[in-house]
Amino acid sequence: MQSSSKHNDRPSNDHYETDIRYTFDLCHWILKPIGMYPLIFNRTSKYERIASVLLILLCCSILQFVIVPFGNHMLFTEKDMNTFVKYLGPLTFSLSTFFKYCYFGTKGTAIGRCVKHVERDWKMLQDKNHRMIMIRHVTISRNLIKLCAVFLYTGGLSYHTIIPLLSKKNINVNVTFRPLTYPGYENFFDVQKSPAYEIVYCMHCVYVLVTGNITMAAYSLTTIFATHACGQIKIQTTRLENLTKGEKLLEKVVKDRLAVIVSGHVQILKFMRSIESALHEMFLIEIIVSTALLCLLEYLCMMEWESSDAIAILTYVGLLISFTFNILIYCYVGELLLGQGSEIAYASYNTEWYNLPRRKSRDIVLLLAISKYPIRLTAGKIFVLSLNTFGAVLKSSIVYLNMLRTVTEF
């Protein structure tokens, strides 16, 4: 039994280390600066774990450096309704990012199980054609992550740098008021004096990088897991298409092929359940927050259009495109999984089952029945991640925009 287990654990893919590195290297670059890497990937040294604890404390301090004075200003100081609405979006994003950061800390073990499943699938790949299928899907995930990062960091950095630098106001000719992205520091110290202003400004720039990495961590993990599942489903459909091809269809040959297909299908279902269990609460946060942020950004674009501030309009439009694209990524990978999950049912139906031995042809029925109900990614087990959900988010943001205009009498 021991020799058999060792044989089963032996990698079938000679290039598995390179393939795993290619799959997760972008994710490593995102997770390491925020200290989440050792919580998800267990192969870390003692010094890496110590560095992770220090990075987590540092990132939490940076987040609180913005959230505490900003939240205090919004709750107790700000009285103007339009200004309150203007800052409500950044405060919502800040709080949701901090919650997601804590969520990663509590769900690190569950996410780590999904990572181990991906690594095990790469080790067990035997067919070169199957490996090429998986590499194509990994390339898709890498391109989506890169595109998402471009939108997110470009929009975030422009909001935190361009608007404060290009919107200085002169008060009483002799006094220059230098605005910051987030107000509220006046209650603690004179933020207009140097070097206090420069320090706070630089901290805001570091803050946008931290929040960007936290947000990108969620996107990258979701994209990698979803495209990996799609690749495994594609392999299953290929096996079903080849079930009745090749050598003479002896009962033992069909039995072995069906055993591989059913075993692979079961592993895919387990993997999908692990993704759903680990990330469905975070998907719900993304749906709710994205709806609110799209509504607020649409409102701010209308406000700046009335005031003819071209710089602010371009910045808010960039942020609007960024958040729209990011929620589209979640819904797109969910739709991708729904479509790919149905492919197994179609492939089972199109199999030349009438050429199979009589007893084995009946085994296709059970596989077909299970494949008709693919596992779906949901947001808090309430909303199914699909393109229909993306359309619902856009419609809801417009509805809330009309409500907001009515309340603020814009």
Side-chain angles (χ1 to χ4, degrees), residues 381-406:
K381 301 186 183 298
I382 302 174
F383 309 104
V384 178
L385 292 184
S386 64
L387 293 181
N388 288 334
T389 304
F390 175 69
V393 169
L394 296 183
K395 292 177 182 177
S396 300
S397 68
I398 298 297
V399 172
Y400 296 141
L401 173 63
N402 292 330
M403 293 174 57
L404 187 60
R405 292 178 60 189
T406 303

Side-chain angles (χ1 to χ4, degrees), residues 5 36 55 91 138 162 208 224 239 362 401:
S5 64
M36 290 290 110
L55 284 171
L91 182 61
V138 172
I162 294 178
V208 72
I224 289 172
R239 287 171 176 165
R362 289 178 293 186
L401 173 63

Side-chain angles (χ1 to χ4, degrees), residues 39-40 103-104 107-116 221 225 274 278-279 282:
L39 298 180
I40 298 174
Y103 182 84
F104 275 119
K107 288 287 188 176
T109 304
I111 298 173
R113 285 195 292 267
C114 298
V115 171
K116 290 179 181 178
L221 288 170
F225 294 155
S274 298
L279 299 175
M282 190 194 65

